[in-house]
Amino acid sequence: MTEVTVQGYEAELESERDYVAGLYARLDAERTRMKGKYSAALRDKGGSAMERDFEVRALAKEVKRLDVADEGLCFGRLDSLSGEHSYIGRIGLFDEANEFEPLLLDWRAPASRAFYVATAANPENMRRRRQFHTRGRRVVDFTDEVLGRPGDAERGDAALLAAVNAPRGEGMRDIVATIQAEQDEIIRLEHSGVLVIEGGPGTGKTVVALHRVAYLLYTQRERMERHGVLVVGPNPAFLNHISHVLPSLGESNVVFVTTGDLVPGLRTTAEDTPEAARLKGSLKILDVLAGAIADRQRLPEEPLSIKLTDVTVRIDAATAEWAREEARASGQSHNAARTVFTEIITYVLTERAIARIGDGWLTRADKEAWEQLRADLLEELAGNDEFTAALDALWPILTPETLLAELYTSPERLRAAGADPALLRAEGDAWTVSDVPLLDELVDLLGRDKAADRAAEQAAERERKEEAEYAAGVMDLLVDRADMMDDEDHLFAQDMLYAEDLADRFVERDTREVAERAAADRDWTYRHVVVDEAQELSEMDWRVLMRRCPSRSFTVVGDLAQRRSAAGATSWDTMFEPYVPGRWVYRSLTVNYRTPAEIMAVAAAVLAEFAPEVQAPESVRACGVQPWSRKVDAGELSTAIEEFVRDEAEREGTSIVIGPPDVPGAVAASETKGLEFDAVLVVDPERILAEGPRGAAELYVALTRATQRLGVLHQGPLPQALTGLVEIGAPAHVGNPQ
């Protein structure tokens, strides 16, 4: 502490406690007021059901925002050169008597920026920064930094080091109280296109991207909130890990998905072989998809006979070819163009049938009789099974799933589409992550099956009406029960909702939250998209995401050195110039807040072997514990893993075992991307490396998950890049190498 004498510290601490207690009192009062308005809105019968529902949702969201702020409401104070104090916190609170007088500044407000960027050399017109250390609602300590003295340290790091050294719990924590200057610059960057944030392991790129979303929702709420934000991560474990950050900042209109979830109704984590993934991820697969569709638009090898009441007509190759050319020339999707194909075929068949039926007695001069005969023939063709079967054979209605499945399982269809034989697979194989962008592409190429869409809409309408009737019935039952109880002190359901209101809400509009509606709608478009581990996404993945965000507003997070996918990015320029030429910017993070220097030195040696051109991030701290290795034989392996698990179970924090799939209790490195643990045990690194560049990237990921302790078990010779580990003997005790 500086500028606070020992004698004056207790008095200042008590003063800060009183002020923060006052902020909590204001928070509680505001929350009580909003909950009262929420209850009143529920009881109010005024306005339409839609208007009431909108008001209730807005009030519920505000109550939730106030609830979120309860923990860590205020975490700092800025003192300006003029002597004014500004308190910084999770949300903004204003003086009840003066709405324009802030008691607490939202961390995203422009006036709060100096809290994150002011330094001794560049004080931003500030004299002092104070950071609170709290326990619950009580301030237990504070740390001061004097600004404007260039000779002093550039930035106090007590709060930062306390945060990075703290044991990890379940899920990623927000960094709202410890955002660093280089991170703050990225969070507040004013750029409407694609922002690429690249950084090595532990540089905080993911949490910076999430705080950027919270900042954008604060500064552009009206534009962004209605359509929501999409966050794309590498696997479900990662999404679960980060899912609490935005809600902790009061933001909920966010959809979290993996690339395997981008088509509603389909969820897959299965992966292709590297070669199949490379083929499916390349834009060249678009020619294959087009070829596969064209192959299903067939010409008959022999004329197809259609028996009608008075005549038999035939669809020959010449007629089908004319119809096919007209349908393709229409520019419509495959399923929509079937109408054109059908119209041409129908025209030819009816002309031929009329000519034969009316031979000798009917001419075009008898227009009324001619048109009546045509109408009769059209009606007969519409109900003719042979005609329908012929159309299905020559121009079938296709779904993405049927087209792709039939393509993959047929060598003949693969050849006809110009596809690589490596795409052949067994019938019934599960969809893979690499199939998702192809299925999504086919939705546009094939178009909708209008008959199926109408049937689905009718079924949904029936379901809504049934739900409305059920809701009304439930309310009537509640009313009947309430009538039997003469108790003025009880609040019953009908006091807050009315049967007709509840029924209206089912019928009148979709009552789901924005995030729910967006996740279920393939055609939903988002205002902003965050993509994490973006180096793994293929060219086809990016086509899907660009369709989901027509404004091309993206925050892209990645590290090319960690790429494991054969279809992933080799450069950001290649991925983004086709979509946003000149509208993407690059920022890098270079400080490692996760991995201590002792562990990073080992990981950097691995990085130097497979990506010598990449500079490893610099660790902000050392932990004083040397990472270790231990050689075991096959019989000792399970016991050594159990020792690690048992030892770590007695410590505070989290731990994980990372290794090849057949290692008992181990998780693959690819499943830990973006995650962090206090202690990590890497098993059989030599086998991980055996996969070549992909394996080297996975080993680098595995080594950089630890925040405190790292151990390695190896059965074969220890890879040269890992010779910096301290070799120990049994038993292994992580953190206390022998």
Side-chain angles (χ1 to χ4, degrees), residues 23-31 66 69-70 73 91 93:
L23 291 176
Y24 273 109
R26 181 74 189 91
L27 175 72
D28 291 340
E30 181 67 10
R31 187 159 42 195
L66 296 171
D70 198 272
L73 172 64
I91 64 171
L93 289 176

Side-chain angles (χ1 to χ4, degrees), residues 599 602 625-631 640-641 644 648 655-659 678-685 688 699 702-714 718 722 725-728 732-737:
I599 295 175
V602 176
V625 178
Q626 291 297 320
W628 56 266
S629 65
R630 175 184 167 195
K631 192 175 190 308
I641 293 174
F644 167 83
E648 286 301 326
S655 62
I656 194 170
V657 178
I658 301 176
D678 291 271
V680 172
L681 181 67
V682 179
V683 180
D684 288 344
I688 298 175
L699 180 58
L703 295 172
T704 53
R705 299 307 95 193
T707 66
Q708 302 290 344
R709 302 175 293 281
L710 171 69
V712 173
L713 296 177
H714 58 104
L718 192 67
L722 299 181
L725 295 166
V726 176
E727 186 73 21
I728 67 170
H733 294 291
V734 179
N736 296 292

Side-chain angles (χ1 to χ4, degrees), residues 646-662:
R646 186 168 56 250
D647 187 50
E648 286 301 326
E650 297 175 359
R651 300 174 182 265
E652 188 178 4
T654 59
S655 62
I656 194 170
V657 178
I658 301 176
D662 58 349

